[in-house]
Amino acid sequence: MKEFAYVRAGSVEEATSAYASRTGARYLGGGTNLVDLMKLGVEAPAALIDVTRLPLDSVEELPGGALRIGAMVRNSDLAAHPLVRHRYPALSQAVLAGASGQLRNAATTGGNLLQRTRCPYFQDLSKPCNKREPGSGCGARDGVHRDHAVLGHSAHCIATHPSDMAVALTALDGRVELVGPEGARSVAAADFHRLPGDRPEQDTEIRPGELVTGVVLPAATAGLSSAYRKARDRASYAFALASVAVVLRLEDGVIGHAGLAFGALAHRPWRARRAEEALLGAAPTRAAFEHAVDLELAAAQPLRDNAYKVPLARNLAVDVLSRLTDAALTGRAS
Amino acid sequence: MTGSVGAPAERREGREKVGGTARYAAEFHSPGRAQAWPVPSTVARGRVTGVDTAAALEMPGVLTVLTHENAPRLAEPDDPTLVLLQDARVPHRGWFVALVVAETLEAARAGAAAVRVAYDAEEHDVTLTASHPGVYVPEDANGGHPALREQGDPDGAFGSSAARVDVAYRVPPLHNHPMEPHTSTARWEDGRLILHTSSQGTGAVRAALAGLFGLPEERIVVTAEHVGGGFGSKGTPRPDVVLAAMAAHETGRPVTVALPRRCLPAVVGHRAPTLHRLRLGADTDGRLASLVHEVTTHTSRIKEFVEQAAVPARVMYAAPNSRTVHRVAALDVPSPSWMRAPGEAPGMYALESAMDELATELGMDPVELRIRNEPGVEPDSGRPFSSRHLVECLREGARRFGWAGRDPRPGVRREGPLLLGTGVSAATYPVMVGPSTATARALPDGSFLVRINATDIGTGARTVLAQVGADALGVPLERVLIEVGSTELPSAPLAGGSSGTASWGWAVHEACAGLAGRLAGHAGPLPAQGLEVRADTTGAADSESEFARHAFGAHFAEVAVDTVTGEVRVGRLLGVYAAGRILNARTARSQFVGGMTMGLGMALTEGSTMDAAFGDFTESDLASYHVPVHADVAGIEAHWLDEEDSRLNPMGSKGIGEIGIVGTAAAIGNAVHHATGVRLRELPLTPDRVLTGLLDRWT
């Protein structure tokens, strides 16, 4: 069998130096995706640096009201955390919309961000895939691609990012904290994942050896509401056909803040900047929502068998925007 | 009579299964046991021109690599899917071209990844269409049914009918995907072959092995002690059986072959896709004048298997003019096979959807339309029914479901973003029964031992057979011990076609009743070895019946369709069955509910996509092939009528393993139409299809 080294890191420094000293190393979180990919032969790390013992397993409020989520916080703990549930319901809802109870108990926040596409061609070594094997081609483009991207795809890759959680983090203006050989830095969640372009093998902006240590959410100011909604083939344990995270605040009867991100439409959580711009300052009407979302989705380039994703995403976004504003307006009236 | 039959007896092996001590085929650990991993073909048609095993053989732990160049020669089997590693031909993608045997599963898997296979690939054709030039009408469809039956003048009668429905439906390929993959552990001892396998019938496995390896059956033992589901895919021996026996022979070691989940779609059968055209012609009262059901399906290049989806139309409704026909195209696809209610499940989806369309066309209640077309005798054969209580199932179901007063108008019940609707479908499944043997022995300690090579594939067969035996003996259930699942036991047919309990139970009943008679005439203590009676139902169980024998049922469904997403949720699913005498209320309910759940999957979530470019099924794991999860199944109820039928078997039972899936998909599809006004004619009803339909209608 293919042998690999296993190192259990006790600190972030230990983890990054263990990674640096071994070529072909991978960080191991809950293993819910990486181990599967190893069994399939898609990943063949020379070393696994187990980071699940790192002291990054808490959710803490920072001075000023921001929230830091340690990279090792398990998905189920994240979804159940009172501060997350009360201040960032979109995040809690998104996490609970993903996977199954057993998987959420094992999966970590950092690992969730770094999970890989479930494109069937990526997972099948006998078929071409530019993400798995650059230059080999894309089996999905002319193949079975009902679940694939409608936004931001390239001739090289039409895969989608599978995470629900990352979509909420994107809409919530989260930042991903990283520690690597060149020190610590943070990247906006919206910029953390990449579009495929001509380098689909590179899922994220992470640099070699960098470890995700946490995610920081900005303070949830008064009146900020959020929600996540996902459409899928079965009621649980299915990846999104399309999903949306909406973060909203009304100010004086108009939209004072809008964060909108789509899942399962692109190679990364799709931050809908154009829609957000159109919403800002607008009265919260269904017509305004539809107009804004249509502006965003005008860029969609559906493939032969996934055109349904465009109206689905539109419906989801308009529905969640409507429900959030209805709740906010009702709440104000009461 | 002690009244064991009918009682909700708990399944005897339940504790072992829940506690993890029940042994499955991969769990027979004998010293030196090796593991194996298959190498599937990566072309859909062609020939293997070379297999480079050098890298694999150099890997630590790899014992051998079997290929068509070095594998033991097998005699020609009846089943071409078992001609494994015998020649260079590749009939479909996923066909096994090598097997790596190693000390551990991990080493075997790594070895398999290191095997390099060169092919001479040919153009392949895997796409089924109704107009495919290769389509032909075979002689028979599965089950020996004639492919074509015609009565009267169906085309003329259709043309002159007042109300007409002419529609097409499509059911995609579906996979059985039992929880336990197909697995065998084999070892050879002094020229004898011992095989622990996961099968619905070890007798057929032994017969296949005897033929392939040229061994007398007495030198082969096959056991299937516990089986983690089969749904038809374990009804015949699968590649694991042959590969394990070969590998054990070549290595001199016990070998386990547990087929990887991702290999299953290609090598253990599947429900073939079916394209249906239905034409129903009726008078204004709803009486059918013409019924035409035409089915087109695929089979593989190596085996003709024709899903008999037009056969239920020969049973269901009185129509003086009818045509039922099957057409098939042999493509470069994996060999299809049995999957729970082959024929009835897809066929009744189409027929019962078309009946719903006819009811809409007539402005008639769909329950009433079915009742109006109730036949006096089996329409196609003219034989009287041994019992038929479809009308009673429909009426009882309607009563329990609250069908009365239903507003027939589609697309008018809104609750916020949800559209609500209800639907109904009939169900049918034939009564099958085969000859079996069994022994019953009275032991001096007061217990009774019943032995029969039945297979408990998770149905509760052990428990039910003990109940049958206890009643025939007139003793309490706990005094009856039972042994099943081995070719060392009296021979019996497989668990398939919903025939197991009827076939085995008949022999158990005869043996136990015979023993009770012997004991009645016996004076004094029993001899140490006890008293044994053997029964053989040959000549009785397989005698031709003058009656048409079928179980019937009715399904009712209530759905909510989300207009935002196109997601369909089934709030209520209710089935009422007339299936003879129900022998165990607890395990029977599990069978009905399990079948209905599988039907819900067929309706909403399960679908397999043939990749035209690569020639394989795309969904190859349980993350992408969506069987329903708990959250998909809200309210589900199964009820049955107390049906008495003395023309079946001594227990008066009909099979119940499959009828639950039949009709469920149509009931749900009809409810979706009632909810939305959109008639979707291709399964599964996933959000992409439903939303697209809603947008076409509502915007």
Side-chain angles (χ1 to χ4, degrees), chain A residues 141 145 148-151 153 297-311:
Chain A
R141 178 163 276 278
H145 58 227
H148 287 67
V150 295
L151 284 164
H153 52 72
L297 295 174
Q301 292 180 295
L303 306 160
R304 185 191 66 230
D305 290 330
N306 69 358
Y308 74 94
K309 285 197 172 196
V310 178

Side-chain angles (χ1 to χ4, degrees), chain A residues 121 127 146 229 234-235 315, chain B residues 562 564 611 616 627 632 688:
Chain A
Y121 301 89
K127 293 176 182 168
R146 185 195 69 134
R229 188 159 184 209
R234 62 182 164 191
N315 281 2
Chain B
D562 195 317
V564 173
D611 183 324
D616 62 351
V627 299
D632 291 297
D688 51 330

Side-chain angles (χ1 to χ4, degrees), chain A residues 147-312:
Chain A
D147 299 340
H148 287 67
V150 295
L151 284 164
H153 52 72
S154 74
H156 302 274
C157 183
I158 59 170
T160 58
H161 194 262
S163 172
D164 294 293
M165 183 193 80
V167 180
L169 293 178
T170 297
L172 286 163
D173 288 314
R175 292 190 72 81
V176 180
E177 296 192 321
L178 301 157
V179 171
E182 289 154 37
R185 66 181 181 122
S186 76
V187 179
D191 300 326
F192 182 69
H193 294 94
R194 298 179 65 254
L195 290 181
D198 59 1
R199 281 197 306 132
E201 69 277 15
Q202 187 73 31
D203 288 352
T204 68
E205 294 295 345
I206 210 161
R207 294 174 191 152
E210 279 187 326
L211 174 69
V212 176
T213 54
V215 174
V216 174
L217 296 175
T221 50
L224 196 77
S225 60
S226 70
Y228 183 78
R229 188 159 184 209
K230 168 180 182 177
R232 48 186 146 176
D233 280 336
R234 62 182 164 191
S236 175
Y237 187 45
F239 293 97
L241 298 169
S243 71
V244 66
V246 179
V247 183
L248 199 72
R249 188 174 58 243
L250 296 183
E251 289 169 5
D252 304 324
V254 299
I255 295 168
H257 174 87
L260 184 63
F262 289 110
L265 299 193
H267 196 260
R268 68 180 184 201
W270 187 268
R271 182 77 189 248
R273 301 276 185 201
R274 255 178 259 180
E276 291 173 7
E277 282 167 27
L279 288 169
L280 217 59
T285 63
R286 191 176 177 88
F289 300 152
E290 288 175 349
H291 172 70
V293 174
D294 285 344
L295 280 179
E296 188 70 41
L297 295 174
Q301 292 180 295
L303 306 160
R304 185 191 66 230
D305 290 330
N306 69 358
Y308 74 94
K309 285 197 172 196
V310 178
L312 177 56

Side-chain angles (χ1 to χ4, degrees), chain A residues 1 39-40 120-121 123 126-128 144 146 229-236 241 308 311-312 315-316 319, chain B residues 42 93 106 110 262 562-565 567 569 605 611 614 616 618 622 626-627 631-632 686-688 691 695:
Chain A
M1 62 181 270
K39 290 180 184 173
L40 292 173
Y121 301 89
Q123 297 182 83
S126 72
K127 293 176 182 168
V144 179
R146 185 195 69 134
R229 188 159 184 209
K230 168 180 182 177
R232 48 186 146 176
D233 280 336
R234 62 182 164 191
S236 175
L241 298 169
Y308 74 94
L312 177 56
N315 281 2
L316 284 169
D319 176 67
Chain B
T42 57
R93 206 177 204 272
E106 292 78 8
R262 297 176 72 87
D562 195 317
T563 54
V564 173
T565 59
E567 290 168 310
R569 297 286 179 255
T605 60
D611 183 324
F614 295 96
D616 62 351
T618 303
L622 291 174
H626 293 145
V627 299
D632 291 297
T686 42
D688 51 330
L691 183 66
L695 290 170

Side-chain angles (χ1 to χ4, degrees), chain B residues 27-182:
Chain B
E27 298 174 317
F28 287 81
H29 310 280
S30 44
R33 192 258 302 251
Q35 299 274 357
W37 196 276
V39 179
S41 158
T42 57
V43 303
R45 179 187 171 107
R47 299 184 69 77
V48 174
T49 55
V51 187
D52 180 356
T53 60
L57 287 169
E58 279 173 21
M59 297 178 79
V62 171
L63 298 169
T64 188
V65 181
L66 299 181
T67 72
H68 71 278
E69 289 165 347
N70 65 1
R73 293 303 96 186
L74 301 171
E76 187 77 20
D78 295 335
D79 182 348
T81 67
L82 299 180
V83 187
L84 293 155
L85 308 182
Q86 299 298 297
D87 58 42
R89 188 173 56 139
V90 174
H92 61 80
R93 206 177 204 272
W95 177 258
F96 293 149
V97 295
L99 181 79
V100 176
V101 189
E103 297 287 353
T104 65
L105 189 68
E106 292 78 8
R109 181 170 61 205
V115 171
R116 293 286 162 263
V117 185
Y119 301 93
D120 181 4
E122 299 162 21
E123 287 288 303
H124 63 260
D125 175 9
V126 296
T127 305
L128 176 70
T129 60
S131 59
H132 192 286
V135 162
Y136 65 96
V137 178
E139 201 164 307
D140 291 333
N142 178 48
H145 298 280
L148 169 67
R149 294 287 294 169
E150 196 164 281
Q151 311 269 4
D153 175 16
D155 299 317
F158 178 76
S160 58
S161 288
R164 279 181 285 185
V165 163
D166 182 353
V167 285
Y169 303 93
R170 180 179 187 272
V171 179
L174 296 168
H175 300 295
N176 314 61
H177 274 318
M179 189 88 84
E180 181 198 20
H182 300 63

